[in-house]
Amino acid sequence: MDAAAEVTATSRHYVDRLFDPDPQKVLQGVIDMKNAVIGNNKQKANLIVLGAVPRLLYLLQQSSSSLELRTECAVVLGSLAMGTENNIKSLVDCHIIPALLQGLLSPDLIFIEACLRCLRTVFISPVTPVQLLYTDPTVIPHLMSLLSNSQRTQEYITQIFSHCCKTPEHQTVLFNHGAIQNIAPLLISPSYKVRMQALKCFSVLAYENTQVSMTLVNVLVDGELLSQVFVKMMQRDQPVEMQLTAAKCLTYMCRAGAIRTDDSCIVLKTLPCLVRMCSKEHLLEERVEGAETLAYLMEPDVELQRIASTTDHLVAMLADYFKYPSSVSAITDIKRLDHDLKHAHELRQAAFKLYASLGSNDEDIRKKITETENMMDRIVSGLSESSIKVRLAAVRCLHSLSRSVQQLRTSFHDHAVWKPLMKLLQNAPDEVLVMASSTLCNLLLEFSPSKEPILESGVIELLCSLTQSDSSALRVNGIWALMNMAFQADQKVKVEIVRCLGTEQLFRLLSDPDTNVLMKTLGLLRNLLSTRPHIDQIMSSHGKQIMQAVTLILEAEHSIEVKEQTLCILANIADGNTAKELIMTNDDMLQKIKYYMGHSNVKLQLAATFCISNLIWNEEDGSQERQDKLREMGFVDVLHKLTQASDPNLSDRAKTAMQQYLA
């Protein structure tokens, strides 16, 4: 008999004993099984395959089973759950969760603890659907009521909560069933495990949740404010796991608006604690978590970014995140190498995220980042890494740095950053596309030296295709980049944009439900219709449709910004040589301009007056006829009235226009 067959035979013997008619023998069989599976994954897998689980669950639920037998069954099931993910899948498929939850209604504490321990093991596995905790609405309140029973119930239940709170709905269910009041006292439990699990609960409850965070700020634990309890937990003499989780709680409360960013518990305690976590003496996992949390904490706040950038040489400290796996000499330890490799991309991702956050507002910090050793090369290679998460973080970092005129003119140009960026745009998932196209928008600004080579690389096709995306963020970025590209561009580029985008798509974008898309499309149109020869050429081929679009926008319910931008386009058309006739022969449009000259909003009055100014300008052919027609339509009276306007810009512009009549 070979070894494998022998194991299977003994396993079968264990399972057979579960069916013995003598309850005492069944109990002994379960106890022997418990001892046989401890630390033996092969044995666990065999017992599952041979059908031990349904029988153990049956015995666990039978009211005729003795309490001792039921408890031992729960212990064995807990041990089987400690094996591989496949084991957990098999247990869940056998409906272990409802059976164990039912077991929690027993009056016996030892049995309850055994059920909770097994539930905890099942729920912390990534393969278990967390929704199973919320299926029966009586479960959460019952778990809350069991919290006071013992340190074990406290540890297991809080661990279940912290692993099963994945969505805003979960946060709300737990909050509504008194999670905060029930879990807060556990933060001062004598048991470290209980304190730690309670702390983890608060971090997942507070994450991006204003209601929870606002409530937490006012909670007292043994007469002390919760935020102060968290501050004590961040002290250096506490275990790192506790320091990190407490820092997360305060970070999440701050980001949810419950604690001010200039509060001393953030500036003097949380931020320095997280910077400390990024240093070399910590484990790689801790450094990843520290950097990601710090990036999240200071993302919206320039003051925190400045403080962090000068704390403990953080910018230089992060450069170390790119040095894993460590050099060849240290590769003697295979386990260590494996660990380093696994965490290397997480470290790079975390460093990129933190650099992105640090550099999102301040020019000096960006300079500091780009001058860090090989930084631009690292970002460029990050853009083509196999891990999607690293690519996304690298492009976020690039986007943050691309907000700097200085960097666009220097390091971006020196490293031809646009090449890998264009490659990244070919077939990336949406979230990468959004970041990459935002960065591209900045690289296409008129002072960016990358603009020329990008234009030559066939970018127009790519951007036009983005404007057809279902995602409004991608439509905005596509049209925004085209708008930047068209600014003060050659006629050739403008014609290519119009050809590639197509008038149909251009007009579809002008009726886009997203205001940002509409504004950027108007911006594109305004940039296309600048300089006279360009205005005349585009209006001669597309004039009718453009005038139609302008009419529709001026008649519809749109914001002041949209109407102002539209009137500016009209003023550009009025500046063309032949194009202005499209306005002059359109009485309906002239009446609209007159209406906006008398509007209550000064911005619209200014833009409309500018249109008229361009139409009646003296030095141009046909100015006399145009002046006469507009006088007949009553424009001179309107201009005269506007010379008295309280806004100095408006009265000046009206006076300038009036002078055309007097010349």
Side-chain angles (χ1 to χ4, degrees), residues 187-198:
L187 289 170
I188 52 172
S189 160
S191 151
Y192 172 75
K193 282 181 172 172
V194 172
R195 292 199 302 280
M196 198 51 234
Q197 292 305 336

Side-chain angles (χ1 to χ4, degrees), residues 446-548:
E446 92 278 13
F447 52 74
S448 158
S450 312
K451 184 173 180 175
E452 280 311 306
I454 296 177
L455 276 176
E456 285 154 25
S457 70
V459 70
I460 297 179
E461 295 273 344
L462 179 87
L463 295 174
C464 290
S465 68
L466 286 184
T467 68
Q468 301 183 5
S469 165
D470 290 337
S471 143
S472 64
L474 285 177
R475 293 201 301 282
V476 168
N477 287 350
I479 201 76
W480 194 342
L482 288 168
M483 178 185 102
N484 286 350
M485 193 188 288
F487 184 73
Q488 295 181 353
D490 302 341
Q491 180 65 355
K492 187 172 102 238
V493 173
K494 290 182 177 179
V495 169
E496 181 55 21
I497 291 175
V498 176
R499 187 200 63 74
C500 188
L501 192 59
T503 41
E504 250 183 68
Q505 177 60 3
L506 184 63
F507 296 117
R508 199 174 297 129
L509 293 166
L510 285 172
S511 54
D512 198 281
D514 186 311
T515 310
N516 286 331
V517 175
L518 174 57
M519 278 299 281
K520 296 292 179 257
T521 309
L522 289 169
L524 167 64
L525 202 49
R526 190 175 169 181
N527 287 348
L528 290 171
L529 294 168
S530 63
T531 74
R532 282 191 183 153
H534 299 182
I535 295 170
D536 289 333
Q537 192 198 354
I538 290 175
M539 292 307 286
S540 69
S541 47
H542 305 292
K544 192 174 163 210
Q545 289 156 297
I546 290 175
M547 292 300 284
Q548 233 173 342

Side-chain angles (χ1 to χ4, degrees), residues 74-102:
V75 172
V76 175
L77 287 163
S79 196
L80 293 177
M82 288 290 216
T84 61
E85 288 189 350
N86 277 339
N87 294 7
I88 299 253
K89 277 188 183 142
S90 310
L91 292 173
V92 172
D93 291 344
C94 292
H95 305 294
I96 187 171
I97 292 175
L100 291 169
L101 289 171
Q102 195 58 37

Side-chain angles (χ1 to χ4, degrees), residues 342-582:
K342 197 166 93 205
H343 289 287
H345 66 272
E346 287 176 11
L347 280 162
R348 288 196 293 279
Q349 180 192 342
F352 283 140
K353 274 188 188 169
L354 187 41
Y355 277 138
S357 193
L358 272 169
S360 57
N361 292 294
D362 187 287
E363 199 52 47
D364 295 334
I365 301 175
R366 291 183 192 130
K367 192 165 184 294
K368 215 173 183 178
I369 293 171
T370 47
E371 285 169 1
T372 307
E373 47 173 334
N374 310 334
M375 194 57 215
M376 292 308 286
D377 294 331
R378 287 189 171 132
I379 295 176
V380 167
S381 57
L383 293 174
S384 52
E385 276 209 32
S386 57
S387 155
I388 179 82
K389 287 181 169 169
V390 177
R391 290 205 300 276
L392 180 59
V395 78
R396 266 177 71 175
C397 182
L398 195 61
H399 177 247
S400 189
L401 298 171
S402 75
R403 291 179 175 154
S404 152
V405 177
Q406 185 58 37
Q407 297 311 328
L408 285 173
R409 283 192 169 140
T410 54
S411 45
F412 273 58
H413 189 50
D414 302 342
H415 292 265
V417 167
W418 65 271
K419 284 184 181 166
L421 191 63
M422 288 288 293
K423 201 170 155 212
L424 191 60
L425 279 160
Q426 298 311 323
N427 49 8
D430 273 9
E431 50 180 347
V432 174
L433 270 181
V434 169
M435 270 299 147
S437 54
S438 282
T439 311
L440 194 60
C441 286
N442 293 343
L443 290 178
L444 288 167
L445 290 163
E446 92 278 13
F447 52 74
S448 158
S450 312
K451 184 173 180 175
E452 280 311 306
I454 296 177
L455 276 176
E456 285 154 25
S457 70
V459 70
I460 297 179
E461 295 273 344
L462 179 87
L463 295 174
C464 290
S465 68
L466 286 184
T467 68
Q468 301 183 5
S469 165
D470 290 337
S471 143
S472 64
L474 285 177
R475 293 201 301 282
V476 168
N477 287 350
I479 201 76
W480 194 342
L482 288 168
M483 178 185 102
N484 286 350
M485 193 188 288
F487 184 73
Q488 295 181 353
D490 302 341
Q491 180 65 355
K492 187 172 102 238
V493 173
K494 290 182 177 179
V495 169
E496 181 55 21
I497 291 175
V498 176
R499 187 200 63 74
C500 188
L501 192 59
T503 41
E504 250 183 68
Q505 177 60 3
L506 184 63
F507 296 117
R508 199 174 297 129
L509 293 166
L510 285 172
S511 54
D512 198 281
D514 186 311
T515 310
N516 286 331
V517 175
L518 174 57
M519 278 299 281
K520 296 292 179 257
T521 309
L522 289 169
L524 167 64
L525 202 49
R526 190 175 169 181
N527 287 348
L528 290 171
L529 294 168
S530 63
T531 74
R532 282 191 183 153
H534 299 182
I535 295 170
D536 289 333
Q537 192 198 354
I538 290 175
M539 292 307 286
S540 69
S541 47
H542 305 292
K544 192 174 163 210
Q545 289 156 297
I546 290 175
M547 292 300 284
Q548 233 173 342
V550 167
T551 306
L552 286 173
I553 292 171
L554 291 178
E555 284 175 354
E557 290 290 323
H558 280 297
S559 66
I560 298 292
E561 289 71 31
V562 167
K563 301 230 167 162
E564 181 192 16
Q565 189 76 291
T566 309
L567 287 166
C568 288
I569 291 171
L570 208 51
N572 282 10
I573 297 170
D575 194 35
N577 287 326
T578 54
K580 52 164 59 79
E581 284 311 307
L582 285 158

Side-chain angles (χ1 to χ4, degrees), residues 26-218:
V26 174
L27 175 63
Q28 197 48 52
V30 175
I31 292 170
D32 291 347
M33 187 185 278
K34 172 179 76 176
N35 296 329
V37 296
I38 291 171
N40 185 340
N41 273 348
K42 186 92 181 106
Q43 185 67 276
K44 288 176 189 178
N46 277 326
L47 289 171
I48 289 172
V49 170
L50 293 168
V53 177
R55 182 64 185 169
L56 287 166
L57 284 171
Y58 171 80
L59 296 169
L60 177 111
Q61 293 174 89
Q62 274 307 92
S63 50
S64 57
S65 299
S66 68
L67 194 57
E68 192 182 357
L69 173 61
R70 294 169 72 191
T71 306
E72 291 295 349
C73 286
V75 172
V76 175
L77 287 163
S79 196
L80 293 177
M82 288 290 216
T84 61
E85 288 189 350
N86 277 339
N87 294 7
I88 299 253
K89 277 188 183 142
S90 310
L91 292 173
V92 172
D93 291 344
C94 292
H95 305 294
I96 187 171
I97 292 175
L100 291 169
L101 289 171
Q102 195 58 37
L104 299 180
L105 299 170
S106 154
D108 183 81
L109 182 59
I110 309 236
F111 176 59
I112 287 177
E113 287 177 352
C115 289
L116 281 172
R117 189 182 313 116
C118 183
L119 276 167
R120 181 270 319 261
T121 308
V122 172
F123 272 121
I124 63 176
S125 163
V127 298
T128 306
V130 294
Q131 211 38 51
L132 293 171
L133 185 66
Y134 302 93
T135 321
D136 175 349
T138 62
V139 168
I140 301 288
H142 184 60
L143 287 170
M144 292 291 177
S145 71
L146 293 174
L147 269 174
S148 52
N149 288 10
S150 70
Q151 280 185 12
R152 285 203 178 109
T153 63
Q154 289 167 354
E155 181 195 333
Y156 303 145
I157 291 171
T158 45
Q159 198 172 357
I160 290 169
F161 285 162
S162 67
H163 272 275
C164 295
C165 183
K166 302 280 190 213
T167 67
E169 293 74 45
H170 297 161
Q171 289 173 325
T172 304
V173 170
L174 292 168
F175 177 82
N176 290 343
H177 284 108
I180 294 179
Q181 307 82 290
N182 285 303
I183 298 170
L186 307 184
L187 289 170
I188 52 172
S189 160
S191 151
Y192 172 75
K193 282 181 172 172
V194 172
R195 292 199 302 280
M196 198 51 234
Q197 292 305 336
L199 191 56
K200 283 187 174 166
C201 264
F202 282 128
S203 81
V204 293
L205 282 167
Y207 180 65
E208 297 199 340
N209 192 311
T210 305
Q211 184 189 33
V212 171
S213 297
M214 289 295 192
T215 308
L216 289 178
V217 178
N218 301 312

